[in-house]
Amino acid sequence: MLPSSWRELGTLMATTMFVYTMFLRLVPPPLRNRIQRFYRKITHYFHPYIRIKFHEFTGESYFMRSEAYTAIQTYLGEHSSKQASRLKAEEAKRSNNSNTPLVLSMDDNEEIVDEFEGIKVKWISHKIIKKNTGSFSLYSSADEKRYYKLSFHRSYRDIIVESYLNHVLEEAKTIEMKNRELKLYSNSKKKWSHIVFEHPARFETLAMDPRKKEEIVKDLVKFKNGKEYYKKIGKAWKRGYLLYGPPGTGKSTMVAAMANFMNYDLYDLELTAVKDNSELRKLLINTASKSIIVIEDIDCSLDLTGQRKKRENGKNDGREEGKGGVRRDEGEEDEKGSKVTLSGLLNVIDGIWSACGGERIMIFTTNFVEKLDPALIRRGRMDKHIEFSYCSHEAFKVLTRNYLDLEYHDLFPTIEKLLEMTNMTPADVAENLMPKSLDVGVETCLCNLVQALEKSKEEDSNKVEIHE
């Protein structure tokens, strides 16, 4: 026999269901709607909590994943591992800033409490299995309906809607930037394609004068935190760097170190693969914020300065000289060559189109800065000019720490004196310092470098004698 309390509960539930059924059948819809509105008012009075749902997919066919849902998932994933009792683990993306192989997040139908400015709110992750209707969906999980539900007291409505939700979205962006994997983009056939960017270069390992490195780091930090400053002065949030110097002095390594330091994606723009100015603009529009756009060896990319000089001198009479001295009409089409002009490039880096997207860095590298058109590298376009020179004694010390884990050796004074008397790039110094086998020691590597420096010094002396 069931206890009397259980029997009474069963009778009450049966009676309630019968009354509700009769209510739906006998009460006219207009009256029923009024009664339901009155019931909601009473419920709202005794249950003063507001609930907001954030569905995983949006749109009529649920084809598009909600950015708000993704941001909330990222935010709660960072905060839920300390509170939730049921978690799910996923393999983490490869990231330069992450050493954790797994990412933890809230399991389905789990709840946690979050606090903002002393106000406690409740997040619940819901998962509902929908019946298969036979309709087509782009997503394999379309039969599963997921959403987050946020609950809070109605007296805090303005704070939650206007401040807390913005806080969640901004915090999610910061978390995503911290944990994301960097990408290296290259342009081909009017589009960008990418691979994971895994270059290990860091400012700590750059063979450069420490004072110059510190100056560059401070400049980058100021730019990264300068959103409001650039807005105040009425300039697009971008900055240009010109890296120039002989081959092997570390220009490309500097670009990689800057990308890792700023945690920015890297776009390697090959101008010779761009058909014309219009295509160049399209490529620029499709670059993301928080990125570095680099054009390496820009003096070799296109003969922009040569075209400008010919127009200024007016010596081509409506024609320009092609390869091998062959002259062609201006209207003649060159299907294979790039038609990007100096004017088009200038508009991209400093014109109206340069403001499409914010927090971007433009970098030019060149071995021969004197070959570049002054209009291309003036201040305001290339804001900071950084010269890369031959290996100095400060750069040499960095290289010995990197390659030999060495702070000092008796050969250091000899090497530093030779570095002052001859020109050798950091790349050549590093090649001599790198052990070629397991049985090669520090002494051998340093002696190899001394011999290479003495040979370079002798070659420089012979060149001077020949010129005299």
Side-chain angles (χ1 to χ4, degrees):
M1 295 289 293
L2 291 172
S4 58
S5 59
W6 285 101
R7 289 198 300 270
E8 292 172 359
L9 179 60
T11 302
L12 178 62
M13 292 180 63
T15 303
T16 303
M17 292 299 296
F18 175 77
V19 171
Y20 183 70
T21 303
M22 291 298 100
F23 171 76
L24 294 177
R25 288 186 177 181
L26 301 177
V27 178
L31 179 59
R32 191 167 65 217
N33 291 337
R34 288 187 178 185
I35 294 173
Q36 287 176 339
R37 284 197 298 268
F38 180 72
Y39 172 76
R40 282 195 294 269
K41 287 182 180 180
I42 295 176
T43 305
H44 181 69
Y45 180 79
F46 289 102
H47 187 76
Y49 288 91
I50 296 176
R51 298 177 180 88
I52 304 177
K53 291 183 179 180
F54 300 89
H55 292 274
E56 182 177 11
F57 296 103
T58 59
E60 294 181 359
S61 302
Y62 288 92
F63 280 173
M64 298 187 64
R65 203 166 197 266
S66 168
E67 293 183 4
Y69 180 92
T70 303
I72 293 169
Q73 187 178 45
T74 301
Y75 175 82
L76 295 179
E78 186 80 1
H79 296 79
S80 63
S81 58
K82 298 178 181 179
Q83 297 187 33
S85 57
R86 291 184 296 114
L87 300 165
K88 55 184 178 183
E90 297 177 355
E91 186 177 355
K93 293 180 180 179
R94 289 176 294 178
S95 170
N96 294 346
N97 301 321
S98 177
N99 297 319
T100 306
L102 296 175
V103 174
L104 301 178
S105 59
M106 290 173 61
D107 198 3
D108 297 323
N109 302 313
E110 180 62 282
E111 66 178 59
I112 65 167
V113 176
D114 193 22
E115 187 171 337
F116 178 74
E117 296 183 358
I119 302 171
K120 291 187 177 181
V121 300
K122 182 187 292 184
W123 285 99
I124 305 175
S125 71
H126 287 277
K127 174 184 174 183
I128 300 174
I129 306 296
K130 298 193 298 182
K131 293 182 179 179
N132 190 359
T133 60
S135 60
F136 171 75
S137 174
L138 294 176
Y139 299 96
S140 60
S141 59
D143 293 338
E144 299 176 352
K145 183 180 179 182
R146 286 186 171 88
Y147 63 90
Y148 288 109
K149 184 166 68 176
L150 172 63
S151 300
F152 55 90
H153 196 279
R154 64 185 179 190
S155 61
Y156 303 124
R157 179 176 186 139
D158 291 341
I159 297 177
I160 298 301
V161 173
E162 296 176 5
S163 300
Y164 175 68
L165 291 180
N166 287 334
H167 162 75
V168 171
L169 297 178
E170 291 299 323
E171 185 74 11
K173 289 180 183 178
T174 303
I175 296 169
E176 183 67 25
M177 284 296 298
K178 181 180 68 174
N179 296 332
R180 75 188 181 106
E181 57 184 9
L182 299 184
K183 296 181 179 65
L184 173 61
Y185 290 83
S186 61
N187 59 301
S188 176
K189 296 181 180 179
K190 305 180 183 180
K191 294 182 179 180
W192 293 107
S193 57
H194 72 267
I195 59 174
V196 177
F197 181 70
E198 298 180 306
H199 199 294
R202 307 187 315 277
F203 274 98
E204 294 82 0
T205 59
L206 282 180
M208 180 183 281
D209 188 321
R211 290 170 296 182
K212 183 178 285 189
K213 283 195 288 187
E214 184 180 0
E215 178 186 337
I216 297 169
V217 168
K218 287 182 178 179
D219 191 80
L220 290 170
V221 172
K222 184 178 180 181
F223 169 77
K224 192 170 188 177
N225 299 327
K227 181 178 181 180
E228 294 302 322
Y229 175 76
Y230 278 85
K231 184 178 180 180
K232 184 184 73 171
I233 64 177
K235 288 187 64 176
W237 191 11
K238 65 179 183 63
R239 190 155 178 81
Y241 291 85
L242 174 67
L243 314 184
Y244 65 97
T249 51
K251 298 183 292 296
S252 297
T253 307
M254 169 61 78
V255 173
M258 292 170 75
N260 286 327
F261 177 77
M262 300 291 281
N263 201 30
Y264 285 1
D265 289 332
L266 192 59
Y267 289 83
D268 183 13
L269 179 59
E270 178 55 61
L271 285 180
T272 56
V274 182
K275 183 180 177 181
D276 51 31
N277 294 338
S278 177
E279 188 173 303
L280 182 62
R281 286 195 297 269
K282 291 177 182 178
L283 285 169
L284 176 73
I285 292 172
N286 288 317
T287 58
S289 298
K290 297 181 183 294
S291 62
I292 294 176
I293 304 169
V294 58
I295 303 178
E296 292 199 276
D297 297 320
I298 190 170
D299 55 292
C300 302
S301 296
L302 292 173
D303 187 20
L304 300 174
T305 57
Q307 293 173 9
R308 177 176 172 128
K309 288 177 181 177
K310 287 174 184 176
R311 287 196 302 271
E312 289 176 350
N313 295 334
K315 293 181 180 180
N316 58 355
D317 298 326
R319 297 177 292 171
E320 59 179 312
E321 194 169 308
K323 292 182 179 180
V326 178
R327 301 175 74 84
R328 63 176 185 266
D329 293 337
E330 284 183 343
E332 183 180 343
E333 294 291 333
D334 185 356
E335 296 295 335
K336 295 183 180 180
S338 173
K339 296 178 182 176
V340 174
T341 64
L342 177 62
S343 175
L345 183 59
L346 295 180
N347 286 333
V348 162
I349 64 175
D350 192 37
I352 295 176
W353 290 99
S354 67
C356 297
E359 198 172 351
R360 287 191 302 194
I361 291 174
M362 177 75 74
I363 299 178
F364 292 165
T365 72
T366 179
N367 298 332
F368 306 100
V369 67
E370 65 277 0
K371 290 185 178 181
L372 299 180
D373 193 300
L376 189 64
I377 60 174
R378 69 164 174 79
R379 306 292 177 174
R381 287 181 176 139
M382 292 294 106
D383 304 284
K384 190 170 183 62
H385 296 190
I386 305 173
E387 182 180 6
F388 289 75
S389 58
Y390 294 102
C391 190
S392 64
H393 69 279
E394 293 290 346
F396 166 70
K397 290 179 180 178
V398 175
L399 291 172
T400 54
R401 283 195 295 269
N402 294 343
Y403 287 87
L404 302 176
D405 292 324
L406 192 64
E407 292 293 337
Y408 184 77
H409 191 275
D410 292 340
L411 288 174
F412 274 22
T414 302
I415 293 173
E416 291 174 3
K417 185 176 180 180
L418 287 169
L419 285 172
E420 293 176 358
M421 300 172 66
T422 186
N423 293 329
M424 181 173 284
T425 66
D428 290 331
V429 173
E431 180 62 26
N432 284 283
L433 290 177
M434 182 181 292
K436 303 302 186 293
S437 62
L438 295 176
D439 57 347
V440 174
V442 171
E443 189 84 23
T444 302
C445 293
L446 292 176
C447 288
N448 289 339
L449 177 58
V450 170
Q451 292 175 6
L453 287 169
E454 289 177 342
K455 182 178 179 181
S456 176
K457 177 186 173 184
E458 183 179 349
E459 290 175 351
D460 291 342
S461 299
N462 292 336
K463 290 178 182 178
V464 172
E465 291 177 1
I466 292 174
H467 286 298
E468 290 179 352

